[in-house]
């Protein structure tokens, strides 16, 4: 039985035109005996640390590929429990006129999601507070949502006046005290399909780097035919 062993070697980090990651693929390793057809190769300490392999398994590369040096910047996920696998842990939730929990299994599945709205004259909030690193070079919020409508035909919508059922995606800047609306959706939109919302850049036009913020999903429903807005896969990867 033979397996491929991957190594990572960084060369010439100070030369722009040569600033690459070299990813080596070493084949023909006999997993049972630890022997190889390749001749021994002295690899730098970083390679050994990265792969967790003992020096005895350092073999000559069969080939190598080049990856952009930008790949050295691995994102840090700031949203905790964005898939709701641990219920509402790490999330702040509130609802005004509904008895069911906000985090529940999606209908006919065992997949946990956040279900906002759902009841008449109801205000729901789902939020998480975090801090964007001051040296962040990328910070993008994303999520998926699905609208389940109770009223099939188009009707009047005025979210500001409380007419219709509406979802608001907001960022409250704890540092400055300002609230910014990122997106809004309502129950006149097509329903029944999971939508991947656009990514929201949290460094432009408003730059939250170095700020503590509250990412919030808020729904308002009116007195008839309440809609449910399902939220899942909330993510905020940051590179810094």
């Amino acid at each position: 039985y033979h397996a491929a062993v991957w190594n990572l070697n960084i060369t010439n980090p100070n030369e722009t035109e040569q600033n690459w990651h070299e990813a080596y693929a070493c084949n023909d390793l006999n997993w049972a005996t630890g022997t190889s057809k390749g001749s021994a190769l002295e690899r730098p300490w970083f390679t050994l640390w990265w792969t967790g392999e003992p020096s005895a398994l350092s073999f000559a590369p069969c080939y190598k590929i080049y990856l952009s040096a930008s790949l050295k910047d691995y994102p840090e996920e700031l949203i905790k429990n964005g898939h709701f696998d641990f219920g509402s842990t790490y999330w702040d939730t509130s609802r005004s006129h509904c008895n069911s929990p906000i985090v529940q299994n999606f209908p006919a599945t065992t997949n946990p999601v956040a279900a906002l709205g759902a009841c008449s004259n109801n205000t729901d909030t789902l939020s998480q507070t975090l801090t964007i690193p001051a040296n962040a070079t990328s910070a993008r919020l994303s999520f998926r949502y699905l609208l389940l409508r109770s009223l099939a035909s188009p009707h009047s919508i005025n979210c500001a006046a409380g007419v219709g059922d509406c979802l608001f995606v907001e960022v409250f800047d704890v540092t400055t005290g300002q609230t910014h609306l990122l997106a809004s959706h309502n129950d006149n939109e097509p329903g029944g399909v999971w939508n991947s919302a656009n990514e929201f850049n949290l460094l432009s036009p408003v730059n939250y780097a170095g700020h503590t913020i509250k990412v919030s999903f808020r729904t308002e429903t009116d007195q008839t035919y309440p809609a449910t807005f399902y939220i899942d896969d909330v993510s905020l990867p940051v590179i810094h």
Side-chain angles (χ1 to χ4, degrees):
Y1 172 70
H2 291 75
V5 179
W6 287 87
N7 313 311
L8 182 63
N9 183 18
I10 298 179
T11 59
N12 301 322
N14 297 321
E15 297 181 24
T16 302
E17 69 276 12
Q18 296 292 334
N19 191 10
W20 300 93
H21 289 183
E22 294 184 15
Y24 288 93
C26 305
N27 296 312
D28 292 329
L29 169 66
N30 188 310
W31 199 257
T33 64
T35 59
S36 170
K37 297 178 181 179
S39 58
L41 172 69
E42 181 180 355
R43 297 186 299 182
W45 69 268
F46 179 83
T47 307
L48 300 180
W49 169 82
W50 180 269
T51 60
E53 301 172 35
S55 58
L57 295 183
S58 296
F59 300 114
C62 302
Y63 60 88
K64 61 185 177 182
I65 58 175
Y66 292 94
L67 307 174
S68 169
S70 63
L71 294 181
K72 67 183 178 182
D73 298 320
Y74 301 100
E76 174 190 1
E77 179 59 64
L78 296 188
I79 292 291
K80 297 180 180 179
N81 190 28
H83 303 293
F84 304 102
D85 293 330
F86 302 101
S88 59
T89 302
Y90 300 113
W91 292 95
D92 295 318
T93 62
S94 67
R95 65 189 339 173
S96 62
H97 291 86
C98 215
N99 294 324
S100 60
I102 286 181
V103 177
Q104 55 187 262
N105 288 343
F106 188 72
T109 74
T110 57
N111 179 46
V113 295
L116 305 178
C119 299
S120 298
N121 293 322
N122 184 39
T123 299
D124 284 344
T125 59
L126 172 78
S127 64
Q128 192 169 136
T129 302
L130 49 91
T131 300
I132 306 292
N135 62 342
T137 59
S138 176
R140 295 181 176 274
L141 173 70
S142 63
F143 63 94
R144 293 195 309 139
Y145 72 95
L146 180 147
L147 166 65
L148 184 62
R149 297 182 298 178
S150 296
L151 186 62
S153 60
H155 56 285
S156 297
I157 292 289
N158 187 337
C159 292
V163 178
D165 303 329
C166 305
L167 165 68
F168 306 92
V169 184
E170 301 167 319
V171 170
F172 172 68
D173 191 334
V174 178
T175 304
T176 65
Q178 296 179 323
T179 299
H180 301 101
L181 177 66
L182 298 181
S184 64
H185 300 280
N186 62 71
D187 63 335
N188 258 353
E189 299 175 8
V193 177
W194 282 101
N195 298 278
S196 295
N198 293 327
E199 289 186 342
F200 300 97
N201 187 352
L202 299 189
L203 300 183
S204 178
V206 181
N207 189 351
Y208 294 105
H211 292 208
T212 297
I213 63 173
K214 178 184 291 186
V215 176
S216 177
F217 299 89
R218 177 172 58 89
T219 55
E220 301 278 353
T221 60
D222 60 14
Q223 59 186 356
T224 58
Y225 304 107
T228 302
F229 296 88
Y230 293 97
I231 306 293
D232 200 4
D233 299 336
V234 186
S235 179
L236 178 48
V238 171
I239 294 177
H240 60 97

Coordinates of all heavy atoms in Angstrom, one line a residue, residues 116-193:
L116 N -36.9 32.8 12.6 CA -37.4 34.2 13.1 C -38.7 34.5 12.5 O -39.0 34.2 11.3 CB -36.3 35.2 12.7 CG -34.9 35.0 13.2 CD1 -34.0 36.1 12.7 CD2 -34.8 34.9 14.7
G117 N -39.5 35.2 13.2 CA -40.9 35.6 12.8 C -41.8 34.6 13.4 O -42.0 34.5 14.6
A118 N -42.5 33.9 12.5 CA -43.3 32.7 12.8 C -44.7 33.0 13.5 O -45.6 32.2 13.4 CB -42.5 31.7 13.6
C119 N -44.8 34.1 14.2 CA -46.0 34.4 15.0 C -46.4 35.8 14.6 O -45.6 36.7 14.3 CB -45.8 34.2 16.5 SG -45.3 32.6 17.0
S120 N -47.7 36.1 14.8 CA -48.2 37.4 14.5 C -47.8 38.4 15.5 O -47.6 38.1 16.7 CB -49.8 37.4 14.5 OG -50.2 36.5 13.5
N121 N -47.6 39.7 15.1 CA -47.2 40.8 15.9 C -46.0 40.5 16.8 O -45.9 40.8 18.0 CB -48.4 41.2 16.9 CG -49.6 41.8 16.1 OD1 -49.4 42.5 15.1 ND2 -50.8 41.5 16.5
N122 N -45.0 39.8 16.1 CA -43.9 39.3 16.8 C -42.6 40.1 16.4 O -42.4 40.3 15.2 CB -43.7 37.8 16.6 CG -42.6 37.2 17.4 OD1 -42.4 37.5 18.5 ND2 -41.9 36.3 16.7
T123 N -41.8 40.4 17.4 CA -40.4 40.9 17.1 C -39.4 40.0 17.6 O -39.4 39.6 18.8 CB -40.3 42.3 17.8 OG1 -41.2 43.2 17.3 CG2 -38.9 42.8 17.6
D124 N -38.5 39.5 16.8 CA -37.5 38.5 17.1 C -36.1 39.2 16.9 O -35.9 39.9 15.9 CB -37.5 37.3 16.3 CG -38.7 36.3 16.7 OD1 -39.2 36.5 17.9 OD2 -39.0 35.4 16.0
T125 N -35.2 38.9 17.7 CA -33.8 39.3 17.5 C -32.9 38.1 17.8 O -33.1 37.3 18.7 CB -33.4 40.5 18.3 OG1 -33.5 40.1 19.7 CG2 -34.2 41.7 18.0
L126 N -31.8 38.0 16.9 CA -30.8 37.0 17.1 C -29.5 37.7 16.8 O -29.3 38.3 15.7 CB -31.0 35.9 16.0 CG -29.8 34.9 15.9 CD1 -29.9 33.8 17.0 CD2 -29.9 34.1 14.5
S127 N -28.6 37.8 17.8 CA -27.4 38.6 17.7 C -26.2 38.0 18.4 O -26.3 37.1 19.2 CB -27.7 40.0 18.3 OG -27.9 40.0 19.7
Q128 N -25.0 38.4 17.9 CA -23.8 38.0 18.5 C -22.8 39.2 18.5 O -22.7 39.9 17.5 CB -23.2 36.8 17.8 CG -22.1 36.1 18.5 CD -21.7 34.8 17.8 OE1 -20.5 34.5 17.7 NE2 -22.6 34.0 17.5
T129 N -22.2 39.4 19.6 CA -21.2 40.5 19.8 C -19.8 40.0 19.6 O -19.4 39.0 20.2 CB -21.4 41.2 21.1 OG1 -22.8 41.7 21.3 CG2 -20.5 42.4 21.3
L130 N -19.0 40.7 18.9 CA -17.6 40.3 18.6 C -16.8 41.6 18.3 O -17.3 42.7 18.2 CB -17.6 39.4 17.4 CG -18.3 39.8 16.2 CD1 -17.4 40.6 15.2 CD2 -18.9 38.6 15.5
T131 N -15.5 41.4 18.2 CA -14.6 42.5 17.9 C -13.8 42.2 16.7 O -13.2 41.1 16.6 CB -13.6 42.7 19.1 OG1 -14.4 43.1 20.3 CG2 -12.6 43.9 18.8
I132 N -13.8 43.1 15.7 CA -13.0 43.0 14.5 C -11.6 43.5 14.8 O -11.4 44.5 15.4 CB -13.5 43.9 13.4 CG1 -15.0 43.6 13.1 CG2 -12.7 43.7 12.1 CD1 -15.3 42.3 12.5
P133 N -10.6 42.6 14.6 CA -9.2 43.0 14.9 C -8.8 44.3 14.2 O -9.2 44.6 13.1 CB -8.4 41.9 14.3 CG -9.3 40.7 14.3 CD -10.6 41.3 14.0
A134 N -8.0 45.1 14.9 CA -7.6 46.4 14.3 C -6.8 46.3 13.1 O -6.8 47.2 12.2 CB -6.9 47.2 15.4
N135 N -6.1 45.2 12.9 CA -5.2 45.0 11.7 C -5.9 44.2 10.7 O -5.2 43.6 9.8 CB -3.9 44.5 12.2 CG -4.0 43.1 12.8 OD1 -5.1 42.7 13.2 ND2 -2.9 42.3 12.9
A136 N -7.2 44.0 10.7 CA -7.9 43.2 9.7 C -7.8 43.8 8.3 O -7.9 45.0 8.1 CB -9.4 43.1 10.1
T137 N -7.5 42.9 7.4 CA -7.4 43.3 6.0 C -8.6 42.7 5.2 O -8.8 43.1 4.1 CB -6.1 42.7 5.3 OG1 -6.1 41.3 5.5 CG2 -4.9 43.4 6.0
S138 N -9.4 41.8 5.8 CA -10.6 41.3 5.2 C -11.5 40.9 6.3 O -11.1 40.2 7.2 CB -10.2 40.1 4.3 OG -11.4 39.5 3.7
A139 N -12.8 41.3 6.1 CA -13.8 40.9 7.1 C -15.2 40.9 6.4 O -15.7 41.9 6.1 CB -13.9 41.8 8.3
R140 N -15.7 39.7 6.1 CA -16.9 39.6 5.3 C -18.0 38.7 6.0 O -17.7 37.6 6.2 CB -16.6 39.1 3.9 CG -15.7 40.0 3.0 CD -15.4 39.5 1.7 NE -14.7 40.4 0.9 CZ -15.2 41.4 0.2 NH1 -16.5 41.6 0.1 NH2 -14.4 42.2 -0.5
L141 N -19.1 39.3 6.2 CA -20.2 38.6 6.8 C -21.1 37.9 5.7 O -21.4 38.5 4.7 CB -21.1 39.5 7.6 CG -22.4 39.0 8.2 CD1 -22.1 38.0 9.3 CD2 -23.3 40.1 8.7
S142 N -21.4 36.6 5.9 CA -22.3 35.9 5.0 C -23.3 35.0 5.8 O -23.0 34.7 7.0 CB -21.5 35.1 4.0 OG -20.8 34.1 4.7
F143 N -24.4 34.6 5.2 CA -25.3 33.7 5.8 C -26.3 33.2 4.7 O -26.3 33.7 3.6 CB -26.1 34.4 6.9 CG -27.0 35.6 6.4 CD1 -28.3 35.4 6.0 CD2 -26.4 36.9 6.2 CE1 -29.1 36.5 5.5 CE2 -27.2 37.9 5.8 CZ -28.5 37.7 5.4
R144 N -27.0 32.2 5.1 CA -28.1 31.7 4.2 C -29.4 31.9 4.8 O -29.6 31.9 6.1 CB -27.9 30.2 3.9 CG -26.7 29.9 3.1 CD -26.8 28.4 2.6 NE -27.1 27.5 3.6 CZ -27.9 26.4 3.5 NH1 -28.6 26.3 2.3 NH2 -28.1 25.6 4.5
Y145 N -30.5 32.2 4.0 CA -31.8 32.3 4.6 C -32.8 31.7 3.7 O -32.6 31.6 2.5 CB -32.1 33.8 4.8 CG -32.4 34.6 3.6 CD1 -33.7 34.8 3.1 CD2 -31.3 35.2 2.9 CE1 -33.9 35.5 2.0 CE2 -31.6 35.9 1.7 CZ -32.9 36.1 1.3 OH -33.1 36.8 0.1
L146 N -33.9 31.3 4.3 CA -35.1 30.8 3.5 C -36.3 31.4 4.1 O -36.6 31.4 5.3 CB -35.1 29.3 3.7 CG -36.3 28.5 2.9 CD1 -35.8 27.1 2.4 CD2 -37.5 28.3 3.8
L147 N -37.2 31.9 3.2 CA -38.5 32.5 3.5 C -39.6 31.5 3.4 O -39.7 30.8 2.3 CB -38.7 33.7 2.7 CG -40.2 34.2 2.7 CD1 -40.5 34.8 4.1 CD2 -40.4 35.3 1.6
L148 N -40.3 31.2 4.4 CA -41.5 30.4 4.4 C -42.7 31.3 4.6 O -43.0 31.8 5.7 CB -41.5 29.3 5.5 CG -42.6 28.3 5.4 CD1 -42.6 27.5 4.1 CD2 -42.5 27.3 6.6
R149 N -43.5 31.5 3.5 CA -44.6 32.5 3.6 C -45.9 31.8 4.0 O -46.2 30.7 3.6 CB -44.8 33.1 2.2 CG -43.6 34.0 1.8 CD -43.9 34.6 0.4 NE -44.1 33.6 -0.6 CZ -44.4 34.0 -1.9 NH1 -44.5 35.2 -2.2 NH2 -44.5 33.0 -2.8
S150 N -46.7 32.6 4.7 CA -48.1 32.1 5.0 C -49.1 32.6 4.0 O -50.2 32.1 3.8 CB -48.5 32.6 6.4 OG -47.7 32.0 7.4
L151 N -48.8 33.7 3.3 CA -49.6 34.4 2.4 C -49.0 34.3 1.0 O -47.9 34.8 0.8 CB -49.9 35.8 2.7 CG -50.9 36.6 1.9 CD1 -52.3 36.0 2.1 CD2 -51.0 38.1 2.4
A152 N -49.6 33.6 0.1 CA -49.0 33.3 -1.2 C -49.1 34.5 -2.2 O -48.2 34.8 -3.0 CB -49.7 32.1 -1.9
S153 N -50.2 35.3 -2.1 CA -50.4 36.4 -3.1 C -49.6 37.6 -2.6 O -49.4 37.9 -1.4 CB -51.9 36.7 -3.2 OG -52.4 37.1 -2.0
P154 N -49.2 38.5 -3.6 CA -48.5 39.7 -3.2 C -49.4 40.6 -2.4 O -50.6 40.7 -2.6 CB -48.2 40.3 -4.6 CG -48.2 39.2 -5.5 CD -49.2 38.2 -5.0
H155 N -48.8 41.4 -1.5 CA -49.6 42.3 -0.7 C -48.7 43.5 -0.3 O -47.5 43.5 -0.7 CB -50.1 41.6 0.6 CG -48.9 41.0 1.4 ND1 -48.3 39.8 1.0 CD2 -48.3 41.4 2.5 CE1 -47.4 39.5 1.9 NE2 -47.4 40.4 2.8
S156 N -49.3 44.5 0.3 CA -48.6 45.7 0.6 C -47.5 45.4 1.7 O -47.7 44.7 2.6 CB -49.6 46.7 1.2 OG -50.6 47.1 0.2
I157 N -46.4 46.1 1.4 CA -45.2 46.0 2.3 C -44.7 47.4 2.6 O -44.5 48.2 1.8 CB -44.1 45.2 1.7 CG1 -44.5 43.7 1.5 CG2 -42.8 45.3 2.5 CD1 -44.6 42.9 2.8
N158 N -44.6 47.6 3.9 CA -44.0 48.9 4.4 C -43.3 48.5 5.7 O -43.9 48.7 6.8 CB -45.0 50.0 4.5 CG -44.3 51.3 4.9 OD1 -43.2 51.4 5.4 ND2 -45.0 52.4 4.6
C159 N -42.1 48.1 5.6 CA -41.4 47.6 6.8 C -41.3 48.7 7.8 O -41.4 48.4 9.1 CB -40.0 47.0 6.4 SG -40.1 45.5 5.4
A160 N -41.0 49.9 7.4 CA -40.8 51.0 8.4 C -42.1 51.3 9.1 O -42.0 51.7 10.3 CB -40.4 52.2 7.6
A161 N -43.3 51.0 8.5 CA -44.5 51.3 9.1 C -45.1 50.0 9.8 O -46.3 50.1 10.3 CB -45.5 51.9 8.1
G162 N -44.4 48.9 9.8 CA -44.9 47.7 10.4 C -46.0 47.0 9.6 O -46.8 46.2 10.1
V163 N -46.0 47.2 8.3 CA -46.9 46.5 7.4 C -46.2 45.4 6.6 O -45.2 45.7 5.9 CB -47.6 47.5 6.4 CG1 -48.5 46.7 5.4 CG2 -48.3 48.6 7.1
G164 N -46.6 44.2 6.8 CA -45.9 43.0 6.2 C -44.9 42.4 7.2 O -44.8 42.8 8.4
D165 N -44.2 41.4 6.8 CA -43.3 40.7 7.6 C -41.9 40.9 7.0 O -41.6 40.7 5.8 CB -43.6 39.2 7.6 CG -45.0 38.9 8.1 OD1 -45.5 39.7 9.0 OD2 -45.6 37.9 7.7
C166 N -41.0 41.4 7.9 CA -39.7 41.8 7.4 C -38.5 41.3 8.2 O -38.6 41.1 9.4 CB -39.6 43.4 7.4 SG -41.0 44.1 6.5
L167 N -37.4 41.1 7.5 CA -36.1 40.7 8.1 C -35.1 41.8 7.9 O -34.9 42.3 6.8 CB -35.6 39.4 7.5 CG -34.2 39.0 7.8 CD1 -34.0 38.6 9.2 CD2 -33.7 37.8 6.9
F168 N -34.4 42.2 9.0 CA -33.4 43.2 8.9 C -32.1 42.6 9.4 O -32.0 42.0 10.4 CB -33.7 44.4 9.8 CG -35.1 45.0 9.5 CD1 -36.2 44.6 10.2 CD2 -35.3 46.0 8.6 CE1 -37.5 45.1 10.0 CE2 -36.5 46.5 8.3 CZ -37.6 46.1 9.0
V169 N -31.0 42.8 8.6 CA -29.7 42.4 8.9 C -28.9 43.6 9.3 O -28.7 44.5 8.4 CB -29.0 41.6 7.8 CG1 -27.6 41.1 8.2 CG2 -29.9 40.5 7.3
E170 N -28.5 43.7 10.5 CA -27.9 45.0 11.0 C -26.6 44.8 11.7 O -26.3 43.7 12.2 CB -28.9 45.7 12.0 CG -30.3 46.0 11.3 CD -31.3 46.4 12.4 OE1 -31.3 45.7 13.4 OE2 -32.1 47.3 12.1
V171 N -25.8 45.8 11.8 CA -24.6 45.9 12.6 C -24.7 47.0 13.6 O -24.9 48.2 13.1 CB -23.3 46.0 11.8 CG1 -22.1 46.2 12.6 CG2 -23.1 44.7 11.0
F172 N -24.7 46.8 14.8 CA -24.6 47.8 15.8 C -23.2 48.0 16.3 O -22.6 47.0 16.8 CB -25.5 47.5 17.0 CG -25.4 48.5 18.2 CD1 -25.8 49.8 18.1 CD2 -24.8 48.1 19.4 CE1 -25.7 50.7 19.1 CE2 -24.6 49.0 20.4 CZ -25.1 50.3 20.3
D173 N -22.7 49.2 16.1 CA -21.3 49.5 16.4 C -21.3 49.9 17.9 O -21.6 51.0 18.3 CB -20.7 50.6 15.6 CG -19.2 50.8 15.7 OD1 -18.7 50.4 16.8 OD2 -18.6 51.3 14.7
V174 N -20.8 49.0 18.8 CA -20.8 49.3 20.2 C -19.8 50.4 20.5 O -20.0 51.2 21.4 CB -20.4 48.0 21.0 CG1 -20.2 48.3 22.5 CG2 -21.4 46.9 20.7
T175 N -18.8 50.5 19.7 CA -17.7 51.5 19.9 C -18.3 52.9 19.6 O -18.0 53.9 20.4 CB -16.5 51.3 18.9 OG1 -16.0 49.9 19.2 CG2 -15.4 52.3 19.2
T176 N -19.1 53.1 18.6 CA -19.6 54.4 18.2 C -21.1 54.6 18.6 O -21.6 55.8 18.6 CB -19.5 54.7 16.7 OG1 -20.3 53.8 16.0 CG2 -18.0 54.5 16.3
G177 N -21.8 53.5 18.9 CA -23.2 53.7 19.2 C -24.1 53.8 18.0 O -25.3 54.0 18.1
Q178 N -23.6 53.5 16.8 CA -24.4 53.7 15.6 C -24.8 52.3 15.1 O -24.1 51.3 15.2 CB -23.6 54.4 14.5 CG -23.2 55.8 14.8 CD -22.4 56.5 13.7 OE1 -21.6 55.9 13.1 NE2 -22.7 57.8 13.5
T179 N -26.0 52.3 14.4 CA -26.5 51.1 13.8 C -26.6 51.2 12.3 O -27.0 52.3 11.8 CB -28.0 50.8 14.3 OG1 -27.9 50.5 15.7 CG2 -28.5 49.5 13.7
H180 N -26.1 50.2 11.6 CA -26.1 50.3 10.1 C -26.9 49.1 9.6 O -26.7 47.9 10.0 CB -24.6 50.2 9.6 CG -23.8 51.4 10.1 ND1 -22.9 51.2 11.1 CD2 -23.8 52.7 9.7 CE1 -22.3 52.4 11.3 NE2 -22.8 53.3 10.5
L181 N -27.8 49.3 8.7 CA -28.5 48.3 8.0 C -27.8 47.7 6.8 O -27.4 48.5 5.9 CB -29.9 48.9 7.5 CG -30.8 47.9 6.8 CD1 -31.3 46.8 7.7 CD2 -32.0 48.7 6.2
L182 N -27.5 46.4 6.9 CA -26.8 45.8 5.8 C -27.8 45.3 4.7 O -27.5 45.4 3.5 CB -26.0 44.6 6.3 CG -24.9 44.9 7.3 CD1 -24.2 43.6 7.7 CD2 -23.9 45.9 6.7
A183 N -28.9 44.7 5.1 CA -29.9 44.2 4.1 C -31.2 44.0 4.8 O -31.3 44.0 6.0 CB -29.4 42.9 3.6
S184 N -32.3 44.0 4.0 CA -33.6 43.7 4.5 C -34.3 42.8 3.5 O -34.1 42.9 2.2 CB -34.4 45.0 4.7 OG -34.6 45.7 3.5
H185 N -35.2 42.0 4.0 CA -36.0 41.1 3.1 C -37.4 41.1 3.6 O -37.7 41.4 4.8 CB -35.4 39.7 3.1 CG -34.0 39.6 2.6 ND1 -33.7 39.6 1.3 CD2 -32.8 39.6 3.3 CE1 -32.4 39.5 1.1 NE2 -31.8 39.5 2.3
N186 N -38.4 40.8 2.8 CA -39.8 40.7 3.2 C -40.5 39.6 2.6 O -40.0 38.9 1.7 CB -40.5 42.1 2.9 CG -40.5 42.3 1.4 OD1 -41.2 41.7 0.6 ND2 -39.7 43.3 0.9
D187 N -41.8 39.3 3.1 CA -42.5 38.2 2.6 C -43.2 38.3 1.3 O -44.0 37.5 0.9 CB -43.5 37.7 3.7 CG -44.6 38.8 4.0 OD1 -44.3 40.0 3.8 OD2 -45.7 38.4 4.5
N188 N -42.9 39.4 0.5 CA -43.3 39.4 -0.8 C -42.3 38.8 -1.8 O -42.5 38.7 -3.0 CB -43.5 40.9 -1.3 CG -45.0 41.3 -1.3 OD1 -45.9 40.4 -1.1 ND2 -45.3 42.5 -1.5
E189 N -41.1 38.4 -1.2 CA -40.1 37.8 -2.0 C -40.4 36.4 -2.3 O -41.2 35.8 -1.5 CB -38.7 38.0 -1.4 CG -38.3 39.5 -1.1 CD -37.1 39.6 -0.3 OE1 -36.4 38.6 -0.1 OE2 -36.7 40.7 0.0
P190 N -39.8 35.8 -3.3 CA -40.0 34.3 -3.5 C -39.5 33.5 -2.3 O -38.5 33.8 -1.6 CB -39.0 34.0 -4.7 CG -38.9 35.3 -5.4 CD -38.9 36.4 -4.3
G191 N -40.3 32.5 -2.0 CA -40.0 31.7 -0.8 C -39.7 30.2 -1.1 O -39.8 29.8 -2.3
G192 N -39.4 29.5 -0.1 CA -39.2 28.1 -0.2 C -37.9 27.6 -0.7 O -37.7 26.4 -0.8
V193 N -36.9 28.5 -0.9 CA -35.6 28.1 -1.4 C -34.5 28.8 -0.6 O -34.6 30.0 -0.3 CB -35.4 28.5 -2.9 CG1 -34.0 28.2 -3.4 CG2 -36.5 27.8 -3.8

